[in-house]
Amino acid sequence: MTVAAKNSVKTAAKTSVKTSAKTPSSKPSKTLLDDLVLANKILFHFNVVDAFGHISVRDDRDPQNRYLMSRHLPPGMVTPKDIVTFDMDSNPLTHTDVPQMSERYIHGEIYKMRPDVISVVHCHARPLIPFGTAKGAKLRPLTHMCGFLGCGVPIYEIRDAGGQTDMLVRTAPLGKALAETLSDKAVVLMRGHGATMVGKSIQETVFRAVYSMDNAVVQMQAHALSAGGEVEFLSLEESEKSMGGRNVPRSWSLWKHQMTAGS
Amino acid sequence: MTVAAKNSVKTAAKTSVKTSAKTPSSKPSKTLLDDLVLANKILFHFNVVDAFGHISVRDDRDPQNRYLMSRHLPPGMVTPKDIVTFDMDSNPLTHTDVPQMSERYIHGEIYKMRPDVISVVHCHARPLIPFGTAKGAKLRPLTHMCGFLGCGVPIYEIRDAGGQTDMLVRTAPLGKALAETLSDKAVVLMRGHGATMVGKSIQETVFRAVYSMDNAVVQMQAHALSAGGEVEFLSLEESEKSMGGRNVPRSWSLWKHQMTAGS
Amino acid sequence: MTVAAKNSVKTAAKTSVKTSAKTPSSKPSKTLLDDLVLANKILFHFNVVDAFGHISVRDDRDPQNRYLMSRHLPPGMVTPKDIVTFDMDSNPLTHTDVPQMSERYIHGEIYKMRPDVISVVHCHARPLIPFGTAKGAKLRPLTHMCGFLGCGVPIYEIRDAGGQTDMLVRTAPLGKALAETLSDKAVVLMRGHGATMVGKSIQETVFRAVYSMDNAVVQMQAHALSAGGEVEFLSLEESEKSMGGRNVPRSWSLWKHQMTAGS
Amino acid sequence: MTVAAKNSVKTAAKTSVKTSAKTPSSKPSKTLLDDLVLANKILFHFNVVDAFGHISVRDDRDPQNRYLMSRHLPPGMVTPKDIVTFDMDSNPLTHTDVPQMSERYIHGEIYKMRPDVISVVHCHARPLIPFGTAKGAKLRPLTHMCGFLGCGVPIYEIRDAGGQTDMLVRTAPLGKALAETLSDKAVVLMRGHGATMVGKSIQETVFRAVYSMDNAVVQMQAHALSAGGEVEFLSLEESEKSMGGRNVPRSWSLWKHQMTAGS
């Protein structure tokens, strides 16, 4: 983590404490709600999530103090009316009479720590599980679509933060420990559980979730094909240079097209 | 197997002998029938079963002495009118003029031995086959969705019970031997054949069938990725702690939604 | 190959020489045509064939001297009017003005040699390719659905019969060499090409094609999981005992249901 | 590269310089446009491309100096009105007010160097990635469908041509270097990126893209099954002999049928 990142993290942590618990007086923008619902559908379509997993986004009415996420529901069933407003301590400000995701602290604690993050995905994507459990294995970028993996993919060991648990990040301290393990990276793997991705928009975070999974599939094949020999990954410079550009909007336009055609 | 489990097994075995063969005078509850038919569709949808495999549930009119299961049919074709009532010796009490599953003894014998079991799935799910045939391989829980594997997954060797056979559990003694191998566990693998899962409800048993398969896929990848090195599984405590909660109803709500949308 | 098999092969080879080339005066039975068209659809649905591959059946009007197979078409596009009648030298007796499968000799030559065979599938099913090309690998039955693999799966090396070729069985001598390699078995793999399956009915041959592929997928996983260690296959006796029964009609009933629901 | 190939390359390179930048006065033939749009759909259907990748064809009005390709769009969304005319320096002559593919130089530079090439596919097909990144691995033909791989599959290392980049072939010199690595072959792999295929028609190039991917999947399995032992590939003579024939039109007829049925 760079010094600049550390400082911005500190500032964010301070400001986020001011979160008030009052009910929001207006609705989030329709575009944001629609994108969040669409993101749920896309993540389900590509098997990033099954009945479990969730995506959140900072609330555009008060991005420093609130975020939006579905109530306790499988992502494939989420509609606009299921979107809850949370404060940064992950207390629901709406929909207070229905069950909420027990792992919402993943989202709130990352937003507190990372002012640069606008959206968070938590998932159990199957191809990512081996990279969190096979000792010595490291998820690394094999193609330019996955440059965001280049700066490293830490692994969260919940035993270090909570001892023997049911594996769920169901408290603020466990969420904070996850955010600290994530640090300034794009993806954190969670041993025996899944992964969490962050990005500067819903679109970028969904893109990172889909392509993390993609990279995992191909990387397992590359290691098998090399039979334990050398595999050539992107260099750090190649990773950084390939992260920008038109990849995210182009993927999003296709996925939106596919989800709409299928409905 | 714990002492408590052994005792409850003995009691169950005794009571089940009293089963009478008279035809049931009423119909099972519509909810139970609907759930059983839906379970057949879900198992087929997720490739837990193909043309083969079956799911049963204790009959809610007389759970100690009867169970319900489809007549001899591929699970993907089962409708409510195909559901047969069996006694615990696996004699059909209805639909006596049509062919029955030759392996129904799997179900009856487990119900006799395990009073805690409400529903049983038998399947040939492909990813589970290697774990029953590769010497030394053990199916173990890689994520918190599969904590139910944590107490161990025994392997049934039909040669021990029946010598050289056609591999089918087509008699009560073979079924009893399978139930004894299963013991107090959630899943038993069957060498050269498939697997059998049990649970406290149709929903839980279907969940265990789907996620056993899931764990198998991911575990094979983890072993390959570690290239024979160490893989970190859930600890026994983590397995036990992660088994409760809202996982089963949440999955079921999605699967029901999917099956209904698809019809 | 047993002595009995050898004798029946000799007899068959002699009688088949009498085949006359006259055009058939009636149509094959509608049931047979419908089953053959359905078989094409099933093989395509399960990726046993893609644009390539074919299935034939002995003509029920003159089973010793004629067989039925599609004209040169992808199996997924075959309709009843595309079914050609061939003599056992693989000359078309109908549809003589359109292109025919260049590898029809696979079918004719097997029918000549194997009077017990009623239907033949030739395919390029992907999971079977490695078993024909990886030195030392042997396709063997892992479950009771695949007992038909128990008596052995020979590999056809076209170089032995034809030297350096385009790999296609496009002459009678190449077809005869394949039939000789198949001998009295159910499946023959073809190095650098695919596989050919035979059976006592369209239904059985399709079943063997689908489950050969299935066994290949699972067997590759079992070898990987055992990391080169021992894998337990069905014994020869288990293979033989598990081959009969209700497996084939049950699968066929499901597949027919699926193909009809999808049309 | 043969002497003949080298000479034709030189001639092509010279003539292509004469390309004029004037706007074309007529439309490309409807057949060519329809085939190009269909090719986009097929490549998307078979996961050769996702949101990324493209296919071009020489413009039948002026094949030496122009080619046709979609504007910047995911292939699955391309319609006839999105097809742009480019000169051989990859300048758009139509649709000049919309974004173009940044990697169009792949196409133009190959057309300059290879007068025999009529169509080019660039893709990120996942199963091909390991063969470009696992040191020592070589993509080689396992079946007669993939004879076109027999003459060798070079790997393009963009660092040799451009140092540390964003991995994209976004300039003419990088495209020229790729064309030189491709040389007179059918397929070139691109380290950390994907692959590029060429052929004598849209149909042949799409066929090569689909079956390259197919061969990669099966070859990885064959190496795993042989556990590092020997795998038998097609000989060079077998590769050459198996490349002609009716494979391409037969596949195309099926794919066209599938794409039309799905619309």
Side-chain angles (χ1 to χ4, degrees), chain D residues 32 35 39 55-58 111 116-121 197-208 248-249 252:
Chain D
L32 194 67
D35 280 353
I55 176 168
S56 70
V57 64
R58 284 185 190 265
Y111 289 129
D116 61 311
V117 166
I118 305 299
S119 179
V120 176
V121 165
M197 296 84 177
V198 301
K200 294 187 303 293
S201 65
I202 289 176
Q203 287 80 354
E204 186 179 68
T205 309
V206 170
F207 180 91
R208 288 176 171 183
V248 172
W252 188 260

Side-chain angles (χ1 to χ4, degrees), chain B residues 50 100 226 235 238:
Chain B
D50 52 4
Q100 303 301 341
S226 78
S235 70
E238 286 170 339

Side-chain angles (χ1 to χ4, degrees), chain D residues 2-125:
Chain D
T2 62
V3 175
K6 275 185 188 160
N7 285 347
S8 71
V9 160
K10 278 184 196 167
T11 315
K14 277 178 196 166
T15 48
S16 68
V17 182
K18 299 177 202 167
T19 306
S20 69
K22 66 178 175 184
T23 309
S25 55
S26 61
K27 286 194 174 174
S29 75
K30 186 171 181 318
T31 307
L32 194 67
L33 278 183
D34 286 351
D35 280 353
L36 187 56
V37 170
L38 185 60
N40 273 278
K41 283 192 206 306
I42 292 168
L43 293 171
F44 180 55
H45 178 80
F46 287 106
N47 294 312
V48 176
V49 299
D50 52 4
F52 308 96
H54 15 87
I55 176 168
S56 70
V57 64
R58 284 185 190 265
D59 185 341
D60 56 0
R61 292 163 301 177
D62 187 359
Q64 268 200 302
N65 298 309
R66 291 177 192 157
Y67 70 90
L68 306 172
M69 187 168 70
S70 160
R71 66 184 177 93
H72 184 264
L73 259 190
M77 295 173 71
V78 170
T79 67
K81 69 176 199 300
D82 301 310
I83 303 298
V84 183
T85 305
F86 294 93
D87 67 22
M88 290 306 175
D89 291 329
S90 298
N91 299 305
L93 305 183
T94 63
H95 302 68
T96 49
D97 56 344
V98 294
Q100 303 301 340
M101 303 292 188
S102 56
E103 297 197 293
R104 57 194 182 274
Y105 304 97
I106 292 173
H107 302 263
E109 298 306 311
I110 288 176
Y111 289 129
K112 282 182 189 172
M113 197 92 87
R114 288 278 300 267
D116 61 311
V117 166
I118 305 299
S119 179
V120 176
V121 165
H122 169 62
C123 67
H124 306 164

Side-chain angles (χ1 to χ4, degrees), chain C residues 51-52 72 124 168, chain D residues 144-146 207 211 242-252:
Chain C
F52 308 97
H72 184 263
H124 305 164
L168 297 181
Chain D
H144 62 302
M145 310 305 289
C146 302
F207 180 91
Y211 279 95
S242 63
M243 285 178 65
R246 298 182 296 192
N247 289 348
V248 172
R250 186 164 169 179
S251 292
W252 188 260

